[in-house]
Amino acid sequence: MTKKTVSLVLGSGGARGLAHIGAIRYLEENGYDIQSISGCSMGALVGGIFACGELDVFEEWVRAISKLDIIRLLDVSWGKEGLVEGDRIIAVFKELIGDRQIEDLTLKYTAVAADIQSEKEVWLKRGPLFAAVRASISLPLFFTPFEINGVKLLDGGILNPVPIAPTFEDDTDLTIAINLGAPPTGNQKPAVKTELRNGNDYPTDGLRAKINDFIDGLKSRNPMDNVNTWNMLSIADQTFDAMQGTIARQKLAAYPPDRTIMIARDACGTLEFDRADEMIALGYETAAKSLGKS
């Protein structure tokens, strides 16, 4: 069977972006050949790691992570333009994946960030992968902006949460977009954990020890446990999600992809990375429903 070549657009949405992993697994198992990735925020991260050929490593890591691990990975910024520096989490990714250059990846890759001073998107196609990712995930208020070539960049979802435009010149059969900002269902239930990839299991005990050792080696204490801080972030998160959902609808209407996979924005919270099993399963199941008859 000849595989269908795909330009894959991975949208922003925090921990809901773990659904991208499940969707990619479905595509790999069902005759799709991903040749190009355009992503912003969590989509830039998952897409970049996939382009490195290291999605298995990342999936194993994120399935093992706990709420405590997440808190300990937040390096608080004092008196700056965001609550979290982001250096610590990027150090973890470099430890897991290696410090890669975008131009050395095996497929076309674009991370989308936002230059809010100039009110324009910035497409990052060259240079260190995790610098591009760090710029693209710079959620306002939460992460500090990330500077590249003298320009302070923020989360690409501010201007384009489903960045289809970087794929316009691709010579592929299909453009498939995953929108993590679909309207809330109001009754979203956690997806039942399913074993993907032919029933392979994902051992966590040894990996958890490695995670703990690595985080402890960076810095063990983090004051991000203030209730008022988290309440403030929750409101900002809901506001940003609503904004992204509106922009995503406009972008998809203006530049419709060949196929769209829709993940409701109330599937999980932005920082609920400890729900990886559920989100990965949801991505797989939603891709199967959306593409099963294509």
Side-chain angles (χ1 to χ4, degrees), residues 231-246:
N231 287 341
M232 178 181 65
L233 287 175
S234 177
I235 295 297
D237 175 32
Q238 293 175 52
T239 302
F240 193 63
D241 269 350
M243 179 194 76
Q244 286 192 110
T246 300

Side-chain angles (χ1 to χ4, degrees), residues 5-9 35-38 108-110 123 125 163-175 255 258:
T5 58
V6 171
S7 296
L8 185 60
V9 181
Q35 295 192 351
S36 168
I37 287 181
S38 172
K108 179 186 173 185
Y109 172 83
T110 304
W123 296 358
K125 298 183 175 185
I164 296 171
T167 70
F168 283 171
E169 296 182 359
D170 290 352
D171 183 19
T172 53
D173 298 323
L174 294 171
T175 298
Y255 308 108
D258 297 297

Side-chain angles (χ1 to χ4, degrees), residues 163-202:
I164 296 171
T167 70
F168 283 171
E169 296 182 359
D170 290 352
D171 183 19
T172 53
D173 298 323
L174 294 171
T175 298
I176 299 175
I178 304 178
N179 177 17
L180 304 177
T185 63
N187 60 355
Q188 183 74 46
K189 295 180 180 179
V192 176
K193 181 179 178 180
T194 58
E195 294 299 337
L196 307 182
R197 299 171 59 249
N198 301 319
N200 289 346
D201 198 8
Y202 293 85

Side-chain angles (χ1 to χ4, degrees), residues 104-125:
D104 295 334
L105 300 179
T106 58
L107 49 77
K108 179 186 173 185
Y109 172 83
T110 304
V112 177
D115 175 0
I116 58 171
Q117 185 171 358
S118 299
E119 299 180 3
K120 65 180 182 181
E121 298 173 31
V122 176
W123 296 358
L124 301 167
K125 298 183 175 185

Side-chain angles (χ1 to χ4, degrees), residues 12-288:
S12 63
R16 291 190 303 282
L18 298 174
H20 292 322
I21 299 173
I24 289 171
R25 296 305 188 196
Y26 178 84
L27 293 172
E28 288 184 311
E29 293 173 7
N30 288 275
Y32 296 90
D33 177 16
I34 301 169
Q35 295 192 351
S36 168
I37 287 181
S38 172
C40 71
S41 199
M42 193 64 184
L45 173 62
V46 174
I49 291 173
F50 172 74
C52 290
E54 299 290 350
L55 194 60
D56 287 351
V57 172
F58 179 68
E59 181 176 348
E60 184 182 11
W61 178 79
V62 80
R63 283 180 182 271
I65 202 167
S66 69
K67 288 183 178 179
L68 179 60
D69 295 327
I70 296 166
I71 297 297
R72 293 162 64 199
L73 281 170
L74 303 180
D75 44 355
V76 177
S77 167
W78 300 104
K80 293 189 178 181
E81 300 160 291
L83 292 172
V84 176
E85 291 281 3
D87 294 340
R88 192 175 302 172
I89 186 63
I90 293 299
V92 169
F93 295 146
K94 288 180 180 179
E95 178 78 8
L96 285 171
I97 308 302
D99 197 4
R100 309 293 184 89
Q101 296 290 311
I102 293 174
E103 48 267 44
D104 295 334
L105 300 179
T106 58
L107 49 77
K108 179 186 173 185
Y109 172 83
T110 304
V112 177
D115 175 0
I116 58 171
Q117 185 171 358
S118 299
E119 299 180 3
K120 65 180 182 181
E121 298 173 31
V122 176
W123 296 358
L124 301 167
K125 298 183 175 185
R126 299 185 62 82
L129 172 63
F130 287 112
V133 167
R134 174 61 184 84
S136 189
I137 67 171
S138 297
L139 183 69
L141 181 64
F142 188 77
F143 281 116
T144 59
F146 190 79
E147 188 171 310
I148 294 180
N149 296 328
V151 178
K152 288 184 177 180
L153 299 175
L154 287 169
D155 193 304
I158 295 171
L159 298 176
N160 195 350
V162 191
I164 296 171
T167 70
F168 283 171
E169 296 182 359
D170 290 352
D171 183 19
T172 53
D173 298 323
L174 294 171
T175 298
I176 299 175
I178 304 178
N179 177 17
L180 304 177
T185 63
N187 60 355
Q188 183 74 46
K189 295 180 180 179
V192 176
K193 181 179 178 180
T194 58
E195 294 299 337
L196 307 182
R197 299 171 59 249
N198 301 319
N200 289 346
D201 198 8
Y202 293 85
T204 61
D205 291 345
L207 185 59
R208 180 167 301 287
K210 291 180 181 179
I211 291 172
N212 289 338
D213 288 346
F214 185 71
I215 296 173
D216 286 339
L218 293 169
K219 189 177 180 182
S220 61
R221 185 174 178 82
N222 196 308
M224 286 286 292
D225 56 358
N226 182 282
V227 173
N228 291 331
T229 298
W230 288 109
N231 287 341
M232 178 181 65
L233 287 175
S234 177
I235 295 297
D237 175 32
Q238 293 175 52
T239 302
F240 193 63
D241 269 350
M243 179 194 76
Q244 286 192 110
T246 300
I247 296 172
R249 288 195 298 273
Q250 295 171 346
K251 293 290 186 180
L252 290 170
Y255 308 108
D258 297 297
R259 300 286 188 274
T260 306
I261 298 169
M262 305 286 280
I263 304 293
R265 68 173 184 259
D266 62 348
C268 80
T270 296
L271 296 178
E272 290 186 298
F273 289 95
D274 56 304
R275 296 177 62 187
D277 288 346
E278 299 167 21
M279 290 303 102
I280 293 170
L282 179 63
Y284 189 95
E285 293 161 6
T286 307

